[in-house]
Amino acid sequence: MASERESFDLSGPLYLTHVDWDNPNHRKSVAASLVQGVYVLEKDRQDRREGTDALASPWWVFFNFQLLHKLVDDVDSSIFGAIYEFKPPSTYCNVTLHRSPHYVIAFRGTITKADSVSRDIELDMHFVRNGLHQTSRYEIAIQAVRNMIATVGDSGIWLAGHSLGSAVSLLCGKTMAKSGNFIESFLFNPPYVSAPIERIKDKKVKHGLRIAGSVITAGLTLAVKAKQKKSLSSDPFAAFSAWVPCLFVNPSDHICSEYIGYFEHRKKMEEIGAGSIERLATQNSLGCLLMGAFGKESEPLHLIPSASVTVNLTPSRDFKDAHGIHQWWKPHLHLQSKLYKY
């Protein structure tokens, strides 16, 4: 039995009959819908829904996209991504068409169904251990991105993902940005590996903990780099600081909410004259530093220099609601957006 949330007619953004590609809320809603299309593609496969029984295609057809290619995991054969091509009809009249993407590469998150849950959770654990870049799913994803850029360039491509798929999108975007290809990216509920400090209500306690964390992280960075005889003048963020992905987070979702504090704390540290400490701390995580101290190189994959962060302040019923992809195409949301440039 299909969930109501899998049906575009029952839960999709039917109000969006005319997309203003200059409108960030419209762009967000389209990107989120295309990610949902990947979820439903995989659920169609698992439930053996074919032909008129399949539910996935309205999630992209409604916005004049075509499914160009499915990205399939080599371990469990699940569909984890899709490449869409924007193909508006010749009669399509839209003065903002120049802002539309030509192609969108979208990645789903974890599906808790028997056919895919074990592989998805395995990849979640790889992310927590900063090892997602060593998995075959990431290799398939980054190869698809590289092939698309080699064919059409990076200016007409969007990356989009939710949860685990957001981590894959972020890693692909980060990798390509380091080589000078800045892809417009929409990252919904991107996971952030950290203690849930953002959930602390007392602002003074929260700020104090973040300052202490920054001092400890910066100190460990100095110690590890001295031991490894690495220069402190090298800035790993400099190579891709011009890439500004769009992050969409919910403060009630502990999986992604730490991004709010990550960027806000960096700004506050600059304001109190502790920018040099935070500049070291913001590029490193304690886990990766400890691994480095034992000779194991590890890059904190979730840390990025710049971002446009949109926070959904609309009250959520529960964690499932706060972490869900569906919230991001609902109309009349209470959103707050901030741009953070490194």
Side-chain angles (χ1 to χ4, degrees), residues 193-213:
V193 181
S194 170
I197 298 174
E198 194 59 30
R199 300 184 75 181
I200 298 171
K201 302 300 182 186
D202 190 309
K203 290 186 178 180
K204 287 184 178 179
V205 172
K206 184 159 58 176
H207 188 47
L209 285 172
R210 291 199 186 282
I211 289 176

Side-chain angles (χ1 to χ4, degrees), residues 39 108-112 116-117 120-121 124 137 162-165:
Y39 276 108
R108 66 165 176 83
T110 301
I111 293 179
T112 55
S116 57
V117 66
D120 286 351
I121 290 177
D124 290 332
R137 181 174 291 189
H162 174 249
S163 195
L164 172 61

Side-chain angles (χ1 to χ4, degrees), residues 44-60:
D44 278 348
R45 184 193 73 87
Q46 291 191 23
D47 294 339
R48 295 176 174 81
R49 298 190 298 243
E50 299 178 350
T52 56
D53 293 328
L55 297 174
S57 63
W59 288 98
W60 59 82

